[in-house]
Amino acid sequence: MKTNQEILDNYGKLVVNEIIDRQYKGVSKAIFQGLKNPTMQRYNKIFDKLNQEEKELLKSFIYENTNSLVFDFLRIFEENDEYKLVYEEEGKQVNLVEISEMLKAEPIIENGWIERFSIEK
């Protein structure tokens, strides 16, 4: 079985690559290149009115909001014992909350998941 650190790192890579980076990439593309989806194009009018500094500020705000969303989602597992986030390998299970000092902060702490695994930050 993988070590606790390997389990956390693998999960962190998934969270960053499949959730956080996808959102970062989508936000950046939307703000700077515009949206193609017809139901979302109404936002292009707003983005077009922003100067470069305002676009960067909006992007930063949305990045922070995305990070907060992931933090709050992971916090649910830390604060509610009836919900589990479990890794299973070869019939053995490990609760991610129990192998992390503070699972909710793993993405955002210094040298955390985002800093180590993000390609979009």
Side-chain angles (χ1 to χ4, degrees):
M1 182 145 173
K2 293 181 175 96
T3 68
N4 289 349
Q5 191 60 53
E6 288 173 325
I7 292 168
L8 285 173
D9 285 349
N10 287 340
Y11 184 69
K13 286 176 189 175
L14 284 172
V15 168
V16 169
N17 299 144
E18 299 297 323
I19 300 171
I20 295 171
D21 274 356
R22 286 183 65 180
Q23 293 303 308
Y24 283 5
K25 185 176 182 179
V27 164
S28 189
K29 186 176 180 182
I31 292 171
F32 294 100
Q33 298 173 12
L35 295 160
K36 306 262 187 282
N37 182 326
T39 61
M40 301 290 281
Q41 286 184 348
R42 63 191 169 131
Y43 297 111
N44 290 342
K45 293 176 186 177
I46 296 167
F47 298 152
D48 289 343
K49 293 177 184 177
L50 302 175
N51 64 37
Q52 192 68 20
E53 183 179 341
E54 292 166 332
K55 288 180 180 183
E56 289 293 340
L57 188 61
L58 177 60
K59 182 176 90 171
S60 293
F61 172 75
I62 296 172
Y63 280 16
E64 290 297 323
N65 192 49
T66 299
N67 296 348
S68 293
L69 179 95
V70 172
F71 179 93
D72 288 338
F73 177 76
L74 293 173
R75 183 175 52 81
I76 290 170
F77 296 99
E78 284 189 7
E79 296 179 3
N80 298 278
D81 292 335
E82 63 272 22
Y83 296 101
K84 307 287 185 211
L85 192 56
V86 175
Y87 171 82
E88 185 174 343
E89 181 182 330
E90 299 171 356
K92 297 179 184 174
Q93 293 185 340
V94 176
N95 183 332
L96 273 67
V97 170
E98 293 174 358
I99 64 172
S100 173
E101 288 183 37
M102 189 180 297
L103 187 65
K104 64 187 173 199
E106 291 279 1
I108 59 174
I109 60 174
E110 185 176 326
N111 200 33
W113 295 342
I114 294 172
E115 191 174 305
R116 289 185 291 143
F117 306 130
S118 178
I119 58 173
E120 297 293 333
K121 62 180 171 171

